[in-house]
Amino acid sequence: MDSTSTWLSLLSFGDQGWGDELFRGACLSFAIAAVAYFIGLVIGLVGAVAKLSGNRVAIALASAYTTIIRSIPDILIIFLVYYSATDAFRSLINLSGFSTEFQLNGFVAAAFSLGIVQGGYSTEVLRGAIVAISRGQSEAASALGLTRGQTFFLIILPQMFPLALPGLGNLWLVVLKESSLVSLIGFTELVLVGKMAAGASRHYLLFYASVGAIFLFMSGISAALINLIEDKTYRAWRHG
Amino acid sequence: MDDFGVYLLHQILAGLRTTVFLFIACAVTGNLLALPVGMALLSKGRWVKYPAVVFALLFRGTPLLVQLYIAYFGVGQILASVPSIRYSPLWPLFRDAYTYAYVTLSLNTAAYCGEIWRGAILGVPKGQTEAGKSLGLSRSRNMLSIVLPQALRIALPSLGGQNILLLKGTALAAMIAVFELMGAANLVRAQTFRVYEPLLAAALAYFVLAVIITSGFSFVEKRIALHYR
């Protein structure tokens, strides 16, 4: 039996192989990870500011959020967010009296639920970066008469970026791998494509190992890029 | 409590038991393997170092879900096609999804915790080893009595975090047909078409487990800190 050529034809592009499907799946995985990453960063920024705001309600809310994200399996949170978001949208649309047949766009739902999880991790990273900026900076800003908003956007945010970089790089590597979880809410990204291919061809090890290899490749490229960015930033920082 | 409540509680408790056993088994195995992995990562011998580097890279560079799929569906299929395994008395073990979940989660934890140990050992000041050497301690005695106790103190917070991640990882075992908490929630969901109650019940159970694990680790951390005052 010539298994190598069977494998190659199964992984080839075109209608005989699954190569093009896997490639498209990898692109979707990447896209969903990227969107979830940015949703997570926005939530994280809000969460970090809330945690440092001194407002007791905001602190309690943000702490409850990060505690829950940290201690409950991500897949459970993704399920909960996915179902409640779908239900909420559906009832909202029913209220407004439009069509009763409603399905939340798979990409939006997947990115949103993954982003909620990611937001919990981002909050901690960004909070740490803000705390690391010396108090004198914001004191100097208020001495210059800047408002709190100006202080945050003009003084704190630019300075926290290099401090947060290692954490942000890690978060990207995490979300890239976590994106595999949205296959479980039925979004056809890399893992689900691999699952379908494996089921159809009954070559389980081949396809799952290929999916793993693609993830390894994406993580490797990401890690190399992150190192490059960190290097450049720190060089600019030292000379600046 | 109504019938649904009793049924839900029953299933959740059954799942909880499996989750606890799976977690303890993987935590013990994974953490025991982690130290040798961490030391291998720091080894100067390339035949020791590079296998460990590749091992850590493979497990840290791919999603846990894919690792479970590769192990259960991929390796499982290959093993089933080997007659000496297929017809051995150990076959029930090789057929069982628990085995694959246990092995995969343990190795995954070993890879991540090994990397934590590597960082912690590097974090012990060099002067400590030098002082040990100047006292005439052998290399292994130096490692065992001087470096590792201090490395443990550095590693503990991260190890605690990694063990929480292991607990969260056990939820993915449900996807290869292990009936644990997440699997129990999914079963109730499929049989009753009620979504929120089973998921929230499972979430609460995971939360309690996470609190217990976290406080266990911080207890040990505090005990160890006492020796350093």
Side-chain angles (χ1 to χ4, degrees):
Chain A
M1 195 177 79
D2 195 3
S3 51
T4 315
S5 67
T6 319
W7 291 353
L8 282 180
S9 77
L10 276 172
L11 289 176
S12 68
F13 285 68
D15 52 355
Q16 289 301 310
W18 290 86
D20 43 345
E21 281 88 347
L22 285 173
F23 179 74
R24 213 173 306 135
C27 292
L28 276 175
S29 280
F30 182 85
I32 217 123
V35 174
Y37 186 66
F38 282 106
I39 295 176
L41 278 188
V42 172
I43 297 176
L45 209 52
V46 174
V49 170
K51 276 201 165 183
L52 298 170
S53 65
N55 180 332
R56 210 175 289 163
V57 180
I59 293 175
L61 280 177
S63 310
Y65 169 60
T66 49
T67 309
I68 286 173
I69 297 288
R70 231 182 311 143
S71 48
I72 292 174
D74 303 344
I75 183 57
L76 203 50
I77 293 175
I78 289 176
F79 274 155
L80 278 171
V81 172
Y82 176 71
Y83 287 117
S84 48
T86 318
D87 280 354
F89 266 104
R90 190 173 293 151
S91 51
L92 207 67
I93 288 192
N94 281 351
L95 271 182
S96 63
F98 284 118
S99 67
T100 46
E101 285 297 306
F102 173 74
Q103 202 64 45
L104 196 59
N105 178 308
F107 188 91
V108 175
F112 180 66
S113 41
L114 197 56
I116 297 262
V117 174
Q118 200 59 22
Y121 301 137
S122 308
T123 301
E124 297 295 356
V125 168
L126 296 177
R127 192 194 73 94
I130 295 179
V131 169
I133 297 170
S134 79
R135 260 193 82 79
Q137 296 286 336
S138 42
E139 281 166 7
S142 67
L144 287 174
L146 270 64
T147 65
R148 284 184 69 176
Q150 282 174 323
T151 307
F152 182 74
F153 285 106
L154 299 176
I155 309 291
I156 306 289
L157 211 54
Q159 290 192 65
M160 78 187 244
F161 182 67
L163 292 172
L165 256 187
L168 292 178
N170 261 342
L171 283 179
W172 167 250
L173 294 176
V174 168
V175 75
L176 190 62
K177 286 180 280 171
E178 295 253 292
S179 74
S180 63
L181 297 182
V182 301
S183 68
L184 301 171
I185 52 172
F187 183 72
T188 320
E189 40 66 81
L190 183 55
V191 177
L192 199 53
V193 171
K195 198 173 191 171
M196 291 191 287
S201 66
R202 316 216 26 94
H203 282 276
Y204 291 98
L205 187 57
L206 173 70
F207 279 110
Y208 287 132
S210 310
V211 169
I214 296 173
F215 269 111
L216 205 56
F217 175 74
M218 293 200 287
S219 319
I221 297 276
S222 304
L225 280 178
I226 290 165
N227 276 340
L228 197 74
I229 296 174
E230 275 183 32
D231 266 10
K232 287 243 148 104
T233 313
Y234 292 134
R235 202 165 298 150
W237 200 243
R238 272 201 301 273
H239 290 307
Chain B
M1 214 169 0
D2 60 340
D3 285 349
F4 174 73
V6 173
Y7 170 67
L8 176 62
L9 189 66
H10 185 77
Q11 298 293 347
I12 290 288
L13 285 179
L16 182 63
R17 200 169 52 211
T18 312
T19 293
V20 169
F21 280 132
L22 189 62
F23 171 76
I24 292 176
C26 296
V28 169
T29 319
N31 284 300
L32 284 180
L33 285 176
L35 186 54
V37 170
M39 292 176 67
L41 286 171
L42 289 168
S43 165
K44 294 218 167 61
R46 75 170 71 152
W47 291 106
V48 181
K49 182 178 180 175
Y50 287 108
V53 169
V54 171
F55 167 74
L57 190 73
L58 288 181
F59 275 93
R60 284 155 42 89
T62 53
L64 178 58
L65 182 65
V66 176
Q67 291 164 20
L68 286 166
Y69 283 167
I70 291 177
Y72 182 59
F73 297 112
V75 177
Q77 190 194 26
I78 302 293
L79 289 182
S81 66
V82 178
S84 58
I85 291 175
R86 182 73 178 77
Y87 297 106
S88 77
L90 287 177
W91 173 241
L93 206 63
F94 282 110
R95 195 185 48 192
D96 203 337
Y98 286 85
T99 315
Y100 294 94
Y102 163 68
V103 171
T104 311
L105 285 167
S106 299
L107 292 180
N108 186 281
T109 306
Y112 278 97
C113 290
E115 202 68 46
I116 293 172
W117 273 108
R118 189 190 75 95
I121 293 174
L122 284 179
V124 175
K126 222 176 144 72
Q128 296 286 332
T129 334
E130 285 163 2
K133 249 186 229 162
S134 72
L135 285 174
L137 297 181
S138 69
R139 271 186 62 179
S140 54
R141 174 52 56 201
N142 209 346
M143 194 59 166
L144 223 57
S145 313
I146 309 285
V147 178
L148 286 185
Q150 298 183 60
L152 174 66
R153 201 171 159 228
I154 301 175
L156 256 183
S158 314
L159 290 178
Q162 196 55 47
N163 279 282
I164 294 292
L165 287 182
L166 168 63
L167 172 71
K168 293 165 74 170
T170 60
L172 290 180
M175 309 312 159
I176 57 167
V178 172
F179 183 80
E180 37 67 83
L181 255 178
M182 188 72 204
N186 281 340
L187 178 78
V188 175
R189 209 150 56 91
Q191 289 192 336
T192 61
F193 296 109
R194 295 211 204 177
V195 173
Y196 294 107
E197 295 94 333
L199 287 181
L200 287 174
L204 183 68
Y206 278 115
F207 187 78
V208 172
L209 288 179
V211 169
I212 293 173
I213 297 167
T214 312
S215 39
F217 267 91
S218 59
F219 175 75
V220 176
E221 264 172 53
K222 279 194 194 112
R223 283 305 291 269
I224 289 181
L226 285 182
H227 294 288
Y228 283 85
R229 280 205 305 200

